[in-house]
Amino acid sequence: LKLWIKGCSGPMAKRELMYLGLGASLMASLLLITGSLGSVKQKGYEGAWSLTIQLRFKDVATRDEFLKSWGVLARYVRDYEPFCLLFEAIQSDKDPLLLIVDERYTDKDVYGKHRSSDAFNVFRPQMQKLQDAGRLQVLGESGVGISLKNI
């Protein structure tokens, strides 16, 4: 940064430095407001429906094969399913053969839209093939979120 600033001169450079300062100020404000540089805590969605799945793989190669096909589905969900509030794979920090998939939808009814998408219908048979071959075990639970106002 020091070398970049030394090489800056003229009105264009001053404007770039101003934008850099503005960006730093915004980052500092976000840090003060949220306590981190991450996203602001998500507010609850009344009636949101969640699905959490634990996936245990026979080996790392199977996990990687799964993630490749899951990634295609995840990108589809990100781009075309605004009713999906969360769609995330979490790698266990204790076990390289364990993934946790968290999904959250505005309500249970829209989960049917997700399951009927072309992307899901390409992905699901690939996952089932791994299960049928004994290379993947799946354990999951689902339910409606509990609102803090009801506690």
Side-chain angles (χ1 to χ4, degrees), residues 115-126:
R115 288 184 60 92
S116 65
S117 71
D118 290 340
F120 183 85
N121 287 306
V122 168
F123 164 77
R124 190 59 182 103
Q126 295 169 345

Side-chain angles (χ1 to χ4, degrees), residues 10-110:
M12 185 86 146
K14 287 180 183 175
R15 185 172 43 231
E16 289 176 6
L17 285 172
M18 181 185 74
Y19 288 137
L20 180 64
L22 180 60
S25 295
L26 289 171
M27 292 288 281
S29 298
L30 180 63
L31 181 59
L32 286 172
I33 292 169
T34 66
S36 75
L37 294 177
S39 62
V40 177
K41 289 184 181 178
Q42 178 181 334
K43 297 193 185 249
Y45 286 87
E46 193 72 31
W49 185 81
S50 296
L51 174 65
T52 300
I53 305 168
Q54 288 188 6
L55 305 167
R56 178 152 312 276
F57 299 91
K58 186 173 182 170
D59 51 49
V60 172
T62 301
R63 181 203 62 199
D64 293 347
E65 180 183 338
F66 169 86
L67 282 172
K68 186 176 178 183
S69 60
W70 183 85
V72 173
L73 176 61
R75 286 179 187 87
Y76 176 87
V77 169
R78 178 194 63 199
D79 295 342
Y80 299 105
E81 294 187 0
F83 51 83
C84 182
L85 306 172
L86 175 69
F87 196 81
E88 178 177 57
I90 302 163
Q91 173 64 64
S92 168
D93 58 0
K94 297 179 184 99
D95 184 349
L97 302 180
L98 178 65
L99 286 180
I100 301 158
V101 174
D102 277 337
E103 301 177 34
R104 182 170 300 139
Y105 300 89
T106 53
D107 59 56
K108 187 174 182 177
D109 294 337
V110 298

Side-chain angles (χ1 to χ4, degrees), residues 119-138:
F120 183 85
N121 287 306
V122 168
F123 164 77
R124 190 59 182 103
Q126 295 169 345
M127 182 176 164
Q128 188 64 53
K129 183 178 173 185
L130 296 175
Q131 289 176 265
D132 293 345
R135 298 171 60 201
L136 170 61
Q137 295 176 338
V138 179

